[in-house]
Amino acid sequence: MTTMESLIGLVNRIQRACTVLGDYGGADNAFSSLWDALPSVAVVGGQSSGKSSVLESIVGRDFLPRGSGIVTRRPLVLQLHKTDQASQEYAEFLHLPKRRFTDFSMVRQEIQDETDRITGKTKQISPVPIHLSIYSPNVVNLTLIDLPGLTKVAVEGQPESVVEDIETMVRSFVEKPNCVILAISPANQDIATSDAIKLSREVDPTGERTFGVLTKLDLMDKGTNALDVLEGRSYRLQHPWVGIVNRSQADINKNVDMIVARRKEREYFATSPDYGHLASKMGSEYLAKLLSQHLESVIRARIPSITSLINKSIDELESEMDHLGRPIALDAGAQLYTILELCRAFERIFREHLDGGRPGGDRIYGVFDNQLPAALRKLPFDRHLSLQNVRRVVSEADGYQPHLIAPEQGYRRLIEGALNYFRGPAEASVDAVHFVLKELVRKSIGETQELKRFPTVQAEIAAAANEALDRFRDESKKTVVRLVDMESSYLTVDFFRRLPQEVDKGGNPAATTTDRYGEGHFRRIGSNVSSYVGMVSETVKNTIPKAVVYCQVREAKQSLLNHFYTQLGKKEGKQLSQMLDEDPALMERRQQCAKRLELYKAAREEIDSVSWAR
């Protein structure tokens, strides 16, 4: 294979791969731009201008639907792949990737059927292309795009907008700067009325991308010829005009072989008194070679930009592959290691939240510095130590015997009753910290990029972490309630020792006895209890945070997933594999990225090898 064939074949393979991988016409501009950077040939012409015959002559096979009116109702992206001389010819459709067509009449039928699947059995059109690849030793490497024929009026069964719709569709292809325009015009019509030439002049005013093809030369009136057009006098293009002799309707009806038709075409030009001097530059075979030569020069000029685009795509894909993660090993040991690594990544982020590397841990401090003191201040001590309640409690504590000096039982009952109120704020602090820790677990799972691939592992870690936090909460509640109970179970003895001294300082025991059941006496008792409760409140305000941090926060940092690790070590390979089941969409994305990456790297290597061979 020559360097030219290698270069065009390479571009053809890249275009084919882009199509298979969904780059062409897809939403991913980063990838579809590669298609646009590669040259292709769009076949443009009015209805019944002979477009189908030109394409079939280039391919050397009769495979396109025929008929009157609009026959081509969807773009046909036709990729020709030159094979070894001994190879069998066959065709493949993108929508039927595992089926090879060796009967080209079946190719024609499938084009018709696939068109009907989108447009229905009507005259409607659709911009959704059909992708067809033909592998044959009798073709040159080319990508040709057959477009619906330009028309001036809508026929029955078509919307009035069909004329504009077809032109818009055709323009979307031919406006691309890397698109070569094959403008088909029938020789038996005035070139000034050619729809193909009119459109190509608008999108390619300099004619750099346009190749003019004149069909139906054998159908011109006797005594006339198309030399003015073919020799560039009627309408000059930068590239030479090529004349084509299509098969006659009789030949088509008789299924005359395309190889025979090509020979008849050569004989026509060789023996023609009008075109004999142009015979070497006429015919479908020459047109195919001319297009190949032009494509080679275009591709060579585009190699630096194509290589740059491929390198950029490779960098983007490798970055995305790193983000998506590499495929999971099948070995149970490797899978267990992967899960442990995922757990460690989660724990690292969770600790960062607690220790201040990430936001969230400060909310725990807020519980101790704001919520707990506020809750302690709101406790109903005023009601509990009101004059009426103190009198009632003290009187009930004395029973039938009056207290002698200080109502000890009354004091104890008042203090114990007051200290019981501390249970509420203590347990609320535990619950508040538990809520913060659970929220940090949720945030940490969401922020662990490695976990995004594995929803099952996410769920397992979340369940294990929350289960551990529930245990820590329960233990913490027991501890803080125990702290409160300890305060009420043993009162500070110094508090009681001060009471007789205060009575002695009064200097008049008789007055004290007289006031024993007076209002002032009960007020002093309430004041003394309030003082003691205040002292305990300060102690509780300091000890509850210590207990909560020790039982919940510290345990969460040190042993959040310990039980999970123990259970994980008991799992078998199948269970580990089930845990590492990825999101199907993510797996599909990775496979697509891997295929694209393989394509682009292979393309870069081939381009480099062809470039060095120049």
Side-chain angles (χ1 to χ4, degrees), residues 23 28 89 105 145 148-149 276 280 375 381 403 468 471 512 546 563:
D23 289 346
D28 197 336
E89 289 182 299
S105 65
I145 304 173
S280 62
F381 293 133
H403 58 266
R471 291 199 309 272
T512 304
K546 294 178 186 294
H563 182 68

Side-chain angles (χ1 to χ4, degrees), residues 21-33:
L21 294 176
D23 289 346
Y24 176 74
D28 197 336
N29 293 329
F31 297 137
S32 62
S33 58

